Amino acid sequence: MAPSQIAEPMEHGLVGPHPSYIEIAKPYIFEPKIHECLTVAGVSEAKDDSIRLQGVAWIDSVRKAMHLPVRTYNTAAVYYHKFRLVHPDSNGYIDAAAAALFAACKIEDTLKKSKEILCAAYNLKLTPGEQLTPDDQLFENHSKTIIGLERLMLEASGFDFRNRYPQNLVLKMAKHYHVDRDTVGKTAYNISLDLYRTFAPIKQTTATMAIACVELSGRICEQPVSELEAGKGYTKWRISRPEVMETLLDLLDLYTHHRASTIVGQDHALETFISIRIALNQEASANKYPRHFQSHKKRSITNGAKAANGIMDSKAKKPVTPTTSPRDESLRDITSPTANGGSKPGLKEGTVRFMLNPQRARDEKNAVAEFFKVEEEEYEVEVEVERERRRVLPETKRIRSFKAETEATIATSSRGDPVEWCGNAPDKPHEGQRKGNGRLEHQVLVQRGPPIVQDEVPGRASKRKKRRRGR
């Protein structure tokens, strides 16, 4: 069988169809990446805080009205945060919050229909006699919007269903350290609920969140847990003091600036939180803890294509602030269809496959990369060259007077016939004289010396070529 012809590379450097993208699920998103997403979207810090608090408050009120467990609230809040980082300009916080709660109910096996969620939220504003049922036509169109956003919600989370529930560990730690159950224990539990109004659940591990809640509860209730404040037991949980410090400061930011939107903040004075914050700032300054704990560099993996989710170097002291929109150079071409049929920034064009195991994604990338290598081969080819002998005259110049008799002159008539004269010929025409019906087209040319003949003998010439081919 004859070998198949090698396909020439296309304009974008690939042969054949696009090899697709591999998106690895990210259970943790750190502060530099969060700041980058919000900066690219053009969302100010005040606007982000307002939308985030309203969305989580809506989820909390609806899940209480529907008697859903706390784990559904935790999952819905995390999905809401991740969705807003990818789609910050969605159709209001209510649609995003409802879609997050709808997806969380499926993930946590507390199934609820989209119409039931919308009906429960609508009935919160009405008296018992005016409440509607989920079958009402009022929720028909809105329900379709929520179902359409569910796909974007899962894509924004990377189809990662691994969730964290710090409330169980908070209660176990409160029991382990023998704190007062009615004061410190209850406050720590409520703090763990307020924690989901911040970005801490997508940045920290379960142990970090639980230890921060118990420690802050002890400081608020003036019953400090010295073992936690001293950092004992951190090695067992594989965490560090800077991680706990970042979580504590995130909570204090929430209680200082948005105390009315929290559970614990309304029960304590503002001066209490300010005094705790001062003490923690002094500890962080003395030990040179950064405000935001920074992780190791993460890298996204694609099959032979440029990475598109823009994972930045989170070890850098300053986050990279992109100057173009959205999401850095590779994300400018990224569009994703919305529930309304338009396109918006956020996800990649073409096929995107999601994986949970980074090692498997790296192995597949290495295997696919072998088929996209461009190989260059340099070789020489001998080509026979055959050309006719031709008469080549040296460079001449025009003259207006006749020279000596020994000089040979050549002129060409208008008919193209060469005519030769001697210097003493009586009938030699002068410059510009007519001969017959023609006119001298060229001036008198003088050739010094005998004519030179330049030969080009047939032979072989070497020609160097390059062949570029790819698999």
Side-chain angles (χ1 to χ4, degrees), residues 16-44:
H18 193 279
S20 79
Y21 294 93
I22 296 180
E23 185 73 20
I24 300 177
K26 305 173 185 63
Y28 301 100
I29 303 176
F30 299 100
E31 187 64 29
K33 181 63 180 178
I34 295 173
H35 179 74
E36 178 189 356
C37 293
L38 297 178
T39 303
V40 168
V43 180
S44 61

Side-chain angles (χ1 to χ4, degrees), residues 424-451:
N424 297 333
D427 57 346
K428 180 166 68 173
H430 57 80
E431 181 181 355
Q433 179 179 352
R434 296 177 178 272
K435 181 179 180 181
N437 297 330
R439 178 179 177 84
L440 294 179
E441 294 181 351
H442 297 278
Q443 302 294 337
V444 178
L445 304 179
V446 177
Q447 176 180 349
R448 298 181 183 275

Side-chain angles (χ1 to χ4, degrees), residues 19 69 97 114 123 131 137 154 169 209 224 329 347 359 375 419 449 458:
S114 58
N123 290 336
Q131 292 181 357
Q137 293 295 326
L154 296 176
L169 190 56
M209 293 188 288
E329 180 181 357
L347 296 179
Q359 184 60 40
E375 299 178 355
V419 181

